[in-house]
Amino acid sequence: MSTTGKVIRCRAAIVWKPGGSFSIEEVEVAPPKAKEVRIKMVATALCGTEMKMLKDKNLQHQHYPIIMGHEGAGIVESVGEGVSTVKAGDKVIALFLPQCGECTSCLNSADNLCIKFKQGETHLMSDGTSRFTCKGKPVYHFGNTSTFSEYTVMNEISVTKIDAAAPLEKVFLVSCGFSTGYGGAINTAKVTPGSTCAVFGLGGVGLSVIMGCKAAGATRIIAVDTNKDKFEKAKEVGATECINPQDYEKPIQEVLFDLTGDGVDFSFEVIGNPETVAAALASCHESHGVCVIIGLIIGVQLNISGHLFFSGRSLKGSVYGGWKGRDGASKLVSDYMAKKINLDALITHTLNLDKINEAVELMKTGKCIRCALLL
């Protein structure tokens, strides 16, 4: 029986209040309106952003109840009026970073931060309403996507069609984590062949940075983390050496200068810790070092010595690894299908969506890189 044009009842993981855990509830998902797409989600995962929002008061807002999730892939169930780039049955990647194709950023080949990205800050659809209800109450959207629901509604510009043969339980990583890290090295930093890199933070995004550095031809990739359990995986994906700051009495930037002689060519902060940003920047070569902030830092001020900028160093931000949303995601899925990139190494656990709170605990242990949540 066709569900087109009808309200769909399904399960979703809802957070009801700031600091709350996920609750599996039955929700009602309205049909897509003009330029919108309703998707049957197949695979999703907790990213560092959700983990931070669950515990960091600086990131918590007043938009509750909410269906989080911004990393996922699924199959189009139906489309609203005027949708032309996808149709029912298409496999798609969900994108927190839209690509409208019309704004100045989309039209600039060097930019990727589509103006429609800020629509996600309202936690509603473009018309100012929600497509989700639960127990008679509207439920807020998240990150232009809300992937922690068996069905979700997104704007067409936040969805990209991919190869029909692509395994959704693998390529969903292109939706955020892998692309953000891999592109941070290739597109934002523009890592050069023969260079030395330092990567601070060895979660899924950090490991993806390492993959990007290796693909770009870096000859020395130093992985930095306080959890030694992550070192084996880091070396598996391309790190040449791993160090734990807790093993040294001196600041980590001094350790890196000792190891390299004059600092690293490229450093990456993939934690979202203001103090680590300062250390990563200070680890860079004085003349030409580039430090890229990839970890999410919101609601805090950076405290960086101005002396570090009496040099040729540069500090850069990065969103979605510099990829344009729709174009980048489809390209990376094609690269995966052509065996040019390896996503499989990043998925260490697999659970069903109703076990999402178990996935949260797994992520907290540091032994889980990415836990695929199947819907």
Side-chain angles (χ1 to χ4, degrees):
M1 183 181 296
S2 174
T3 51
T4 302
K6 300 176 182 177
V7 171
I8 291 178
R9 288 180 174 81
C10 67
R11 295 181 309 153
I14 293 179
V15 178
W16 287 96
K17 61 183 180 180
S21 59
F22 291 101
S23 176
I24 301 299
E25 308 279 3
E26 181 179 86
V27 298
E28 296 172 338
V29 185
K33 295 186 179 181
K35 295 291 185 178
E36 295 177 357
V37 181
R38 188 161 60 183
I39 298 166
K40 183 184 187 306
M41 296 305 302
V42 173
T44 183
L46 286 156
C47 190
T49 301
E50 281 88 16
M51 295 298 294
K52 282 195 169 189
M53 288 192 70
L54 291 173
K55 69 174 184 177
D56 190 338
K57 292 181 180 178
N58 288 321
L59 292 176
Q60 290 170 3
H61 46 73
Q62 300 306 311
H63 297 97
Y64 290 90
I66 190 168
I67 296 175
M68 293 185 185
H70 68 281
E71 183 176 80
I75 299 169
V76 176
E77 175 270 337
S78 60
V79 300
E81 181 183 352
V83 172
S84 60
T85 58
V86 294
K87 64 183 185 303
D90 285 346
K91 286 186 176 181
V92 293
I93 294 290
L95 298 167
F96 73 90
L97 178 65
Q99 184 181 347
C100 73
E102 299 173 351
C103 69
T104 53
S105 290
C106 285
L107 294 175
N108 186 329
S109 61
D111 288 2
N112 78 321
L113 200 60
C114 175
I115 194 171
K116 298 291 186 181
F117 173 56
K118 291 189 179 296
Q119 172 65 42
E121 295 178 1
T122 69
H123 299 282
L124 296 169
M125 298 301 289
S126 301
D127 65 353
T129 64
S130 173
R131 301 293 169 268
F132 298 114
T133 55
C134 180
K135 300 178 181 177
K137 296 180 179 180
V139 179
Y140 284 102
H141 292 249
F142 178 77
N144 296 308
T145 49
S146 289
T147 59
F148 294 163
S149 176
E150 291 176 328
Y151 285 85
T152 187
V153 177
M154 304 178 204
N155 289 312
E156 180 184 13
I157 59 174
S158 290
V159 172
T160 192
K161 180 180 177 180
I162 59 171
D163 189 330
L168 298 180
E169 71 279 6
K170 305 288 187 183
V171 299
F172 76 88
L173 284 169
V174 164
S175 181
C176 177
F178 175 78
S179 307
T180 297
Y182 189 78
I186 291 178
N187 299 328
T188 308
K190 294 180 170 55
V191 170
T192 52
S195 60
T196 296
C197 303
V199 181
F200 292 74
L202 302 180
V205 180
L207 294 178
S208 300
V209 172
I210 292 173
M211 292 180 182
C213 293
K214 181 179 180 181
T219 52
R220 195 172 182 189
I221 304 171
I222 305 169
V224 183
D225 203 292
T226 56
N227 185 346
K228 292 184 178 181
D229 291 340
K230 296 182 178 182
F231 289 174
E232 182 179 354
K233 179 68 76 171
K235 289 182 177 179
E236 178 187 324
V237 300
T240 56
E241 55 208 284
C242 300
I243 59 175
N244 182 346
Q246 295 174 341
D247 289 343
Y248 303 88
E249 293 184 1
K250 60 177 63 176
I252 191 62
Q253 57 265 39
E254 294 182 21
V255 173
L256 286 165
F257 259 82
D258 290 345
L259 286 172
T260 60
D262 49 11
V264 300
D265 301 306
F266 302 94
S267 68
F268 302 86
E269 203 285 348
V270 205
I271 302 168
N273 182 322
E275 293 179 2
T276 314
V277 171
L281 179 62
S283 302
C284 287
H285 192 288
E286 290 183 350
S287 178
H288 60 259
V290 176
C291 175
V292 179
I293 301 175
I294 296 177
L296 184 67
I297 302 176
I298 292 178
V300 294
Q301 295 292 319
L302 293 177
N303 185 12
I304 297 175
S305 170
H307 180 71
L308 288 174
F309 292 102
F310 187 66
S311 68
R313 293 184 180 95
S314 59
L315 180 63
K316 305 180 74 173
S318 182
V319 176
Y320 196 57
W323 304 103
K324 288 187 184 292
R326 304 179 85 188
D327 295 345
S330 58
K331 176 198 180 304
L332 289 170
V333 171
S334 295
D335 285 351
Y336 174 79
M337 297 302 288
K339 293 181 168 49
K340 293 180 181 178
I341 56 176
N342 174 24
L343 302 175
D344 302 38
L346 301 175
I347 302 172
T348 54
H349 298 76
T350 301
L351 293 171
N352 291 327
L353 180 67
D354 58 4
K355 303 290 186 183
I356 189 169
N357 287 314
E358 290 183 27
V360 170
E361 295 307 313
L362 277 171
M363 292 287 284
K364 287 179 181 177
T365 66
K367 296 179 180 179
C368 175
I369 303 302
R370 268 297 188 275
C371 177
L373 294 168
L374 306 183
L375 293 89

